[in-house]
Amino acid sequence: MHHASYRLQPLLKTTDIDEMTAYVANLFGPHDIQLPRPRELRFDIQACEIGGLRLGQVGYSAQAEVQVQTPRTGWTLTRALQGNNHFHDSGQQLLRGTMGLMPPHWCGNFTLSPEARFENLHIPEPHLMAVARELLGFEPQEPLDFQMFLPGEAAVPQRLGLWLQTLLHAPLPQGQAHAQLDAALSRALLMELLLLWPHRYTRHLQKPQAPRSAVQRALEFMHAHLEDEIDLPQIAQAAGVGVRALELAFAKQVHTSPWRHLRALRLDQARRLLAEGRETSVLAVALRFGFGNPGLFARYYQQRHGERPGQTLARRLAADG
């Protein structure tokens, strides 16, 4: 099967140390790279951009001593794909599957074994902080301070590894749809990272306090915007809490998610319009409430109301004679 949607594209293959060093510096910032056996160098790198995130895979095919001396502009999520690699400052061994999350200010040195290969995700600081604010509902006053390493057998690296594969094999639509899909994928990954990887604000995301009044404000906002294109961050903002707090509050107080509840409200209103004869087209009512796929609208409608929207409309038309 031909994987036409595979995102990674070859950027550089070289055996020249100077070319490799210059390229790494341009892409990731200045690195001091020493090769005990420079003749063994077979450097290759593949990368792609997805919603402002840069995902790449890199290998040297030679033992390398690497020193990072200059802060970077973002976070680096790194996963060891193979090899036995050692971070000297922390004493951490990066075996296959192990993940590290390096803050922008991190500097240090590490040794890569000849067979080492890494997957790196560069996350610009503004992107991560925007999603953190969205989840928390407030501006973090302290650094996030993620735990730096997680072992490969832990659940979090395995789950995030699946996310990276999802990014690599996501479809490649064209035009505006491409940008929207990539933005949604990158935002979802950063949400997953903040919810799963331990950091200073983890306890706020695990048990955030959202008063009952916040849920009421969210419900009022939903009712006022049934026919408008709104998203979860807008609902949370109207409620005065973070996305995570709102999700947990809805689960506790309404016994569903905000998004499912909004969908149910829209389906109920769609039924009223069809049953009362205020809408005489199933397609029109589907589009009116944001269901771009009429077939999906019909399926959700039947799940909630026990009949297809066309049946509701037909009964009304029959009653009108």
Side-chain angles (χ1 to χ4, degrees):
M1 178 179 178
H2 177 57
H3 293 284
S5 64
Y6 190 65
R7 296 288 189 109
L8 287 185
Q9 298 296 319
L11 296 183
L12 177 68
K13 287 187 177 183
T14 185
T15 60
D16 184 276
I17 297 174
D18 292 337
E19 184 180 19
M20 172 201 69
T21 303
Y23 197 89
V24 169
N26 181 61
L27 202 60
F28 300 113
H31 286 52
D32 179 19
I33 305 173
Q34 300 295 325
L35 303 175
R37 298 181 179 85
R39 292 179 181 273
E40 296 178 358
L41 178 65
R42 300 289 186 275
F43 177 80
D44 77 275
I45 183 169
Q46 306 171 69
C48 61
E49 294 273 348
I50 302 176
L53 311 181
R54 185 171 62 245
L55 179 59
Q57 292 182 1
V58 61
Y60 293 82
S61 298
Q63 182 177 334
E65 301 289 339
V66 183
Q67 187 168 17
V68 179
Q69 300 174 316
T70 305
R72 294 160 307 287
T73 58
W75 295 75
T76 301
L77 177 66
T78 185
R79 179 170 69 137
L81 299 178
Q82 61 187 47
N84 184 357
N85 315 290
H86 182 70
F87 279 70
H88 297 289
D89 297 346
S90 62
Q92 176 70 41
Q93 292 285 337
L94 255 67
L95 305 177
R96 181 176 180 179
T98 303
M99 275 190 169
L101 186 55
M102 315 305 177
H105 59 78
W106 180 83
C107 295
N109 59 310
F110 51 95
T111 301
L112 305 179
S113 63
E115 68 278 10
R117 190 163 189 85
F118 283 90
E119 198 162 55
N120 293 325
L121 181 71
H122 176 74
I123 306 168
E125 176 83 351
H127 286 58
L128 186 62
M129 294 310 298
V131 176
R133 287 192 297 270
E134 182 181 316
L135 282 173
L136 291 166
F138 59 84
E139 182 75 39
Q141 298 301 309
E142 300 290 337
L144 293 176
D145 283 346
F146 284 92
Q147 181 177 324
M148 188 167 287
F149 297 101
L150 293 177
E153 64 272 14
V156 173
Q158 292 180 16
R159 188 161 168 179
L160 290 174
L162 291 175
W163 257 105
L164 294 179
Q165 290 304 304
T166 298
L167 291 182
L168 289 178
H169 294 279
L172 288 164
Q174 300 299 315
Q176 185 178 4
H178 187 168
Q180 290 176 341
L181 174 63
D182 279 3
L185 286 171
S186 65
R187 176 176 167 273
L189 172 61
L190 295 183
M191 279 193 166
E192 195 85 339
L193 179 66
L194 286 158
L195 291 171
L196 295 177
W197 197 293
H199 56 83
R200 183 189 297 271
Y201 294 94
T202 293
R203 65 182 182 85
H204 291 276
L205 296 177
Q206 289 177 341
K207 294 183 178 180
Q209 299 298 314
R212 186 169 294 274
S213 59
V215 173
Q216 184 59 40
R217 287 194 295 271
L219 293 174
E220 292 170 358
F221 183 78
M222 290 179 183
H223 279 284
H225 296 276
L226 290 180
E227 299 182 26
D228 299 328
E229 186 176 335
I230 58 175
D231 58 22
L232 190 53
Q234 289 174 307
I235 299 171
Q237 184 178 22
V241 296
V243 167
R244 184 60 174 166
L246 186 66
E247 288 177 332
L248 293 181
F250 258 73
K252 182 177 180 180
Q253 299 175 33
V254 191
H255 308 296
T256 187
S257 71
W259 199 246
R260 286 193 178 94
H261 188 75
L262 176 61
R263 186 174 68 197
L265 292 176
R266 286 170 165 168
L267 291 169
D268 290 349
Q269 183 64 6
R271 181 178 176 82
R272 289 190 197 95
L273 296 183
L274 291 172
E276 295 170 7
R278 289 188 283 162
E279 277 287 0
T280 58
S281 165
V282 171
L283 176 60
V285 79
L287 295 176
R288 181 170 177 172
F289 292 104
F291 295 91
N293 184 328
L296 190 61
F297 167 70
R299 189 172 75 190
Y300 285 142
Y301 188 98
Q302 186 167 24
Q303 289 173 351
R304 182 156 181 84
H305 299 302
E307 64 179 7
R308 297 180 69 81
Q311 293 174 287
T312 305
L313 179 59
R315 190 166 55 252
R316 176 65 195 189
L317 295 176
D320 289 344

